Amino acid sequence: MAELAVERVTLRFGGLVVLDDVSLAVERGELCALIGPNGAGKTSVFNCISGLYRPASGRIRFQGHDLVGMKPHAVAQRGVARTFQHGELFPHLTVVENLLVGRHTRFRTNIVGETLFSRRVRAQEVEHRRVTEEILDFVELGRHRHTTVAELPFGMQKLVGFARALALEPQLLLLDEPSAGLNRDEREDLARFILRIKHELGIPMIWIEHDMQMVADLADRIFVLDYGRPLAEGTPAQVLNDPRVIAAYLGQAAA
Amino acid sequence: MPFASGYFRTSYARELRLVDTRAQAASLTVFLAALGAFPFVASSFLLDLANQFFLASIGAVALMLLTGYAGQVSLGHAGLLAAGAFTVGILVKEANAPFWVTLPAAAGVGALLGVVFGLPSLRLRGLYLAVSTLALYFVVHYVGSEYETERGFSTGIIVDPPALGPLVVSDARAWYFVLLAAAAATVVLALNLLRSRSGRAWRAIRDHETVAEALGIGVPAYKLAAFVVSSMLTAVAGALFAYYRGFVSIEAFSLFLSIQYVAMVIIGGMGSILGALLGAAFVTLFPYAIEALIEVLPTPERYANLVFAVNYAAFGLVMVAFLLFEPEGLVGIWRRVRDWFVLWPFRQRPLAGTK
């Protein structure tokens, strides 16, 4: 059974049909790319999964539970973590603090203990601080740990967003254009991190991406959306040579 | 390390410390000693000023948590102070309740009102939220004044000085230590919250509410928690104010008081506990400074009846000036001055094009 199964999801804003009968499934340890021209509804799929949008019909099953109708924070507590297209970090917090916010659901403290900074709270803070350091090692951001995020260049901010999602210890990772705005070196680093997550942690990932070379090189499977409708699905070789996909991206004549 | 070539943190626990380096500990000790010695050398006027500052700083820190950290605007602060003060007044008048009953009761009333004040924040934001807290302020104000007139205390309620067993806190010096302890406890409590999960969740909500929610933070619960914590502290400050003045009257809790607390947070510098304290000191001392300035004029008696008007006008001007020219507030000025001394004889200039 698939780890995540989006089943016949339709999303409407008033009369506008944003997603029309979209289905996709991701297995454990699988890296699935979600591609499509601008406005195809890729991010809307993520917003439906993470509970920010509520689809008009359809089901989203994750590890046997239906996510539709759950509040975003409840979805995150189930282990669904995501990154955002523009980073969307907490600019006034340091890198470590951003990651600790990512670990919010893993803390076992209450506000009364926190006001007194009890021994338990202190122990938890130290423990989670240690874990953030492991994640910082993983994404090679250790030297910026105490930098306020607003002071970091954009590429590094996106990497912090990636690390913040990892900090949640996710069971499913939704990556929304993680490579957009990154230079070549940063992209290569990112590709390495994504592959390491896949091979070492086995976390299933859905990955929205516009860099077709990167998709062709890394993805196990590709879903293509066009105007909110599923257009094609399959291995990179199948999908990227599909005349319908080429037409959607480059126009009818090119196909 | 006897020959350490610098200052190093060697454990994560050290990163959590409120007082980290030896220099910080030393200066804190000196500062506390000075605070302890102050009432034995200060005049009764200065002592009263210090007490007013301590009371204001509790309210300012409480509002800073709510507005400066959790990002929720409130114009109802005077209503919460009034609620605390009236809880004391009513319990003392009606039930002759002692200090150790009225203070927790005030905190309880504050917590309850915090939920009420906070509920609109689940739907409203910014200006709309401010207006809804303003409406709630008027409700509290109305209830207070109704109580006064219905029970025939139209001039106010007299509250006897609190007794802790045989110890009666009545003279200014005793009050100084009580209020200092209360203010210090508030600061420590606020700093504790800010270095743990709730404080980070509040700042995350302030910066990006949707993202905070997508990362697993139950935004409504944390917004309400911010209102409850802030309101409890404020109500306790109101209760202490009632005991300190020995008198409760709704006239002391005008809308201008709410504005003054907002001013403390803005003038002090958003998102800084030190800023809340600096702002509280500034706003507390400001009217006295204006008065002293007018005294210096050649014929002060001619302006005597203008003092209030000048005070209000100058206060407004200062607030606008801070918003325009120093959005980081007093704490921003403090940081610049500190950096200047740290870097001296070198000078730091912002790179061209940044800010």
Side-chain angles (χ1 to χ4, degrees), chain B residues 187-205:
Chain B
V187 168
V188 171
L189 188 150
L191 290 175
N192 279 346
L193 279 172
L194 290 174
R195 60 181 168 149
S196 49
R197 175 165 87 143
S198 299
R200 278 191 301 269
W202 287 337
R203 290 157 73 202
I205 291 169

Side-chain angles (χ1 to χ4, degrees), chain B residues 35-44 46-48 50-51 54 168-181 244:
Chain B
L35 280 179
F38 178 80
F40 299 102
V41 291
S43 66
S44 61
L46 282 179
L47 213 50
D48 178 56
N51 288 346
F54 290 143
V168 179
V169 186
S170 57
D171 69 320
R173 197 178 287 169
W175 267 113
Y176 176 89
F177 287 106
V178 170
L179 295 176
L180 171 62
Y244 177 62

Side-chain angles (χ1 to χ4, degrees), chain B residues 263-288:
Chain B
M264 288 180 203
V265 172
I266 292 173
I267 291 174
M270 278 288 178
S272 158
I273 292 295
L274 176 65
L277 298 177
L278 292 175
F282 186 91
V283 172
T284 309
L285 299 180
F286 190 74
Y288 296 98

Side-chain angles (χ1 to χ4, degrees), chain A residues 88 104 114-115 129 146, chain B residues 15 192 197-198 200 207-208:
Chain A
E88 310 284 350
H104 182 88
E114 287 167 10
T115 54
R129 177 67 184 81
H146 291 308
Chain B
E15 278 190 8
N192 279 346
R197 175 165 87 143
S198 299
R200 278 191 301 269
D207 281 359
H208 261 305

Side-chain angles (χ1 to χ4, degrees), chain A residues 39-255:
Chain A
K42 303 181 294 293
T43 300
S44 295
V45 172
F46 277 13
N47 285 344
C48 286
I49 297 172
S50 56
L52 295 171
Y53 293 165
R54 189 173 183 156
S57 66
R59 292 206 303 162
I60 299 172
R61 283 189 308 103
F62 174 62
Q63 295 179 342
H65 299 275
D66 193 358
L67 297 184
V68 174
M70 272 167 87
K71 296 259 181 236
H73 68 90
V75 174
Q77 272 158 17
R78 289 220 167 270
V80 179
R82 65 176 287 183
T83 69
F84 293 83
Q85 219 165 339
H86 306 290
E88 310 284 350
L89 291 150
F90 306 116
H92 301 101
L93 274 59
T94 65
V95 171
V96 161
E97 285 171 329
N98 266 277
L99 263 59
L100 285 171
V101 172
R103 289 193 69 71
H104 182 88
T105 56
R106 304 285 162 201
F107 273 80
R108 294 290 166 264
T109 58
N110 63 52
I111 196 162
V112 179
E114 287 167 10
T115 54
L116 305 171
F117 216 72
S118 66
R119 193 174 290 212
R120 181 188 168 82
V121 172
R122 187 180 297 273
Q124 291 251 317
E125 287 290 333
V126 169
E127 170 59 16
H128 289 288
R129 177 67 184 81
R130 191 188 60 72
V131 180
T132 61
E133 201 65 28
E134 284 174 11
I135 296 161
L136 286 175
D137 269 351
F138 184 86
V139 295
E140 296 158 16
L141 278 174
R143 66 156 68 182
H144 299 293
R145 57 177 71 81
H146 291 308
T147 312
T148 308
V149 162
E151 293 165 20
L152 289 176
F154 183 73
M156 239 177 245
Q157 288 193 18
K158 291 215 58 168
L159 211 50
V160 176
F162 183 73
R164 186 179 63 180
L166 271 184
L168 199 124
E169 290 178 23
Q171 316 262 325
L172 172 69
L173 196 50
L174 308 174
L175 304 170
D176 196 347
E177 289 192 38
S179 78
L182 301 192
N183 63 33
R184 195 185 170 84
D185 288 343
E186 289 167 333
R187 271 170 203 240
E188 282 172 2
D189 281 344
L190 179 75
R192 194 155 49 81
F193 300 145
I194 290 176
L195 286 179
R196 275 191 69 189
I197 291 170
K198 185 182 137 185
H199 292 304
E200 294 173 24
L201 304 172
I203 300 170
M205 284 176 274
I206 308 181
W207 171 35
I208 295 177
E209 186 55 72
H210 278 302
D211 183 335
M212 287 309 143
Q213 191 57 53
M214 220 173 148
V215 169
D217 288 347
L218 302 184
D220 296 320
R221 217 144 40 88
I222 301 180
F223 291 92
V224 190
L225 277 182
D226 189 27
Y227 291 109
R229 271 186 293 275
L231 188 71
E233 181 194 336
T235 63
Q238 292 165 344
V239 168
L240 296 178
N241 295 317
D242 189 326
R244 290 175 303 165
V245 176
I246 296 166
Y249 267 94
L250 302 174
Q252 210 63 50

Side-chain angles (χ1 to χ4, degrees), chain B residues 45-46 89 143 164 184 200 209-210 230 261 266 279 281-282 316 329 355:
Chain B
F45 171 70
L46 282 179
V143 171
L164 299 157
R200 278 191 301 269
E209 202 174 311
T210 2
S230 169
Y261 275 93
I266 292 173
F282 186 91
K355 265 211 275 214

Side-chain angles (χ1 to χ4, degrees), chain B residues 72 117-125 129 132 223-224 227:
Chain B
Q72 308 301 307
F117 273 65
L119 280 176
S121 76
L122 306 185
R123 285 294 168 108
L124 304 174
R125 234 166 269 185
L129 177 61
S132 82
K223 278 187 180 175
L224 282 185
F227 270 96

